[in-house]
Amino acid sequence: MQLLRIDCLGKILRLEGSMSGWQALYWDNQLVSQIPASADPAESTEHRFALMTGSGEEIECVLTLSLTWQPFNLEYELAVEDQKLGSGELVEKDIETQVVENVVKQPNKISILGMASLGLKLFKSAKVIKVLFAAGSLAAYSWLFSFEFALALILCLVFHEYGHVRAMKRFGLKTKGIYLVPFLGGLALSDDRINTRWQDVYISIMGPVFGLFLSLVALVLYWLTDIEVLAGIAAFNALLNLFNLLPVLPLDGGHVLKSIAFSVNSVFGLVICVIGAVAGVVISYYFGMALLGFLLAVGSIEIVLEWKHRHSSQLLPLARYGQVVSALWYFATVGGLCWVIWILGQQGNSALALPLQILGS
C-alpha cells in the first residue's frame, strides 16, 4: 500500500510497503530503493539512494522512517546531501485522505482488445446503461414474482446501495452511481481506490445498515397501519440484507470480517475471532436459523484460512479499537435484521414467515 507521497527535488517521492516489512521507494515512478520482507520487520528503516539531476549531477539522499502499524504512525525525515529537506508524521486519517498513485500501464498493442476495453469503459460510464439495467431488473423480478413485489424489491436494492454511496462520499471518493443488475442485485461503483481497512468496513456495512433502517421503518409503519405489504417489505428486505452480511466475498459481510481478521496480528486475536464466529453459529441454531448458521460457519472458516496472507495486504489494518467497533457493529446489524425476520415470522402469516423458514431450512 502507499505509505508516503511527498515532493523531492520537484518530483514525487512515493513509498509503498506492507506489514511484512517490504518497502519500495519510487522517485518519479522509478524504483530507487527497496527493503525485502522479513519475518521480524524493524520499526525503524533507512533508504539511501542517489538521484540524477538534469545536469547529470548525482545527489545522495536519505529517507529515515519510524513505522508502527497498529495504531498506524509513520514519522519520516528526508535529507539531501546531509541537509534536511523535510520531515513529518502521518496517522491513519492521513492515509485515508491520501491520493493513491496509479501506476501507468503500457498500452495494449492489439488494437481489437484496446477497442474492446474502450467500449467497456464507455459502457460502464453511460447513464443510459443504468436505466436499461433498472428496466431489465424490473422486468426480470416482475416475471419471477409480481410487478408490485418487483417495485418493492428494487426500492430495497436502491436504498441498500445508497448506503454504500453515502459512505464512499464520506471519504471523498468519487462515485459512479448505482447499477441494478438483473438477478444479481445492485452495485455501487467508484473509480477511486480505498487505502484503509476502516474504509472497507465502513463502506461495506453501511449498505446493510441502511437496509436495517428501512426494515425497521416499514415494521413500525406496519404496526401503526396493519398494511401487510409494509410487513412484507420489512421481512424480505431484512432477509436480503442479512444474506449480504454473510462472511463470504464479495458480499458485504465478507469484506467486513476479512478486514477484521486481516487486522488481527496475534494468535490470541485470531482465537477471539474464532470464538465470536462460533458464538454466531450457536445463536443462529438456537433461534432455528440453521441455514444462516451453516453459511456463517463456512464463511468464517474461509476467512480464517486466508488470515496467513494478511501481511501482504495493500490496505492499512484496523487498530485494536477499530477491530472491536467493527465486530460489534457487524453483530449488532446482523442481530437487528434477524430480530425483524423472527418477529414477523411469529405473526401467523405464511408469506411473512417465509424468510424465517428459509433461514431454518
Side-chain angles (χ1 to χ4, degrees):
M1 63 169 294
Q2 181 174 290
L3 298 176
L4 183 64
R5 191 174 186 270
I6 58 175
D7 180 76
C8 177
L9 303 178
K11 296 182 179 180
I12 297 298
L13 187 67
R14 174 169 53 91
L15 177 69
E16 301 278 344
S18 69
M19 292 180 66
S20 63
W22 170 83
Q23 291 181 9
L25 188 64
Y26 298 87
W27 185 66
D28 193 29
N29 282 330
Q30 296 179 356
L31 182 65
V32 294
S33 178
Q34 188 169 8
I35 296 176
S38 170
D40 187 22
E43 290 188 1
S44 298
T45 54
E46 187 177 80
H47 291 271
R48 290 186 172 273
F49 54 100
L51 301 179
M52 298 294 293
T53 64
S55 60
E57 180 184 0
E58 189 175 87
I59 300 177
E60 294 295 328
C61 304
V62 179
L63 179 66
T64 305
L65 305 167
S66 178
L67 171 64
T68 56
W69 285 96
Q70 294 174 307
F72 180 81
N73 183 270
L74 173 63
E75 296 179 5
Y76 69 90
E77 181 177 305
L78 176 63
V80 176
E81 294 291 337
D82 295 326
Q83 297 294 320
K84 182 178 176 181
L85 187 63
S87 63
E89 181 179 6
L90 299 178
V91 295
E92 183 172 344
K93 287 292 183 183
D94 300 307
I95 299 297
E96 287 180 355
T97 57
Q98 191 171 236
V99 177
V100 178
E101 184 81 13
N102 289 318
V103 179
V104 179
K105 296 181 179 179
Q106 294 295 326
N108 200 313
K109 295 181 179 179
I110 303 177
S111 59
I112 296 177
L113 294 181
M115 292 298 293
S117 176
L118 177 61
L120 179 61
K121 290 180 179 179
L122 293 173
F123 177 83
K124 289 168 63 178
S125 63
K127 292 184 178 180
V128 69
I129 297 303
K130 297 180 184 179
V131 178
L132 292 177
F133 276 176
S137 296
L138 180 60
Y141 299 137
S142 298
W143 176 68
L144 282 177
F145 308 105
S146 67
F147 180 75
E148 293 79 7
F149 186 85
L151 282 177
L153 182 58
I154 287 178
L155 167 67
C156 297
L157 290 172
V158 170
F159 204 74
H160 172 101
E161 298 303 330
Y162 181 69
H164 293 312
V165 170
R166 291 300 305 171
M168 291 176 187
K169 290 183 176 180
R170 179 186 181 277
F171 292 109
L173 302 177
K174 296 178 182 178
T175 60
K176 298 179 66 174
I178 298 171
Y179 290 80
L180 296 174
V181 184
F183 303 111
L184 295 179
L187 292 171
L189 301 179
S190 172
D191 283 330
D192 294 338
R193 289 170 51 191
I194 60 174
N195 301 323
T196 70
R197 287 287 176 191
W198 172 245
Q199 288 176 309
D200 196 19
V201 168
Y202 190 90
I203 292 171
S204 298
I205 204 169
M206 283 304 289
V209 166
F210 268 56
L212 174 59
F213 177 75
L214 178 61
S215 283
L216 291 174
V217 169
L219 180 61
V220 171
L221 291 176
Y222 165 65
W223 285 339
L224 294 175
T225 63
D226 284 332
I227 300 176
E228 288 194 343
V229 68
L230 293 173
I233 291 175
F236 284 94
N237 178 65
L239 181 65
L240 171 71
N241 283 275
L242 185 61
F243 272 102
N244 256 287
L245 282 174
L246 290 173
V248 180
L249 291 172
L251 298 180
D252 297 330
H255 283 279
V256 174
L257 291 191
K258 184 174 181 178
S259 289
I260 296 172
F262 275 40
S263 300
V264 173
N265 205 26
S266 66
V267 175
F268 175 76
L270 181 62
V271 170
I272 296 298
C273 290
V274 171
I275 292 174
V278 171
V281 172
V282 171
I283 292 173
S284 298
Y285 275 90
Y286 178 80
F287 283 100
M289 301 180 181
L291 179 61
L292 176 62
F294 173 75
L295 294 175
L296 282 174
V298 172
S300 299
I301 291 172
E302 176 186 350
I303 289 174
V304 169
L305 292 177
E306 290 186 1
W307 178 71
K308 61 182 179 180
H309 302 298
R310 67 195 184 283
H311 285 163
S312 60
S313 171
Q314 294 296 309
L315 300 179
L316 182 68
L318 296 165
R320 186 69 53 83
Y321 173 78
Q323 295 170 29
V324 174
V325 169
S326 300
L328 292 176
W329 197 2
Y330 174 81
F331 285 113
T333 307
V334 169
L337 293 169
C338 287
W339 179 80
V340 171
I341 293 171
W342 190 82
I343 284 291
L344 290 172
Q346 313 303 312
Q347 300 295 307
N349 184 308
S350 58
L352 296 181
L354 183 58
L356 185 60
Q357 293 172 2
I358 292 174
L359 294 179
S361 62

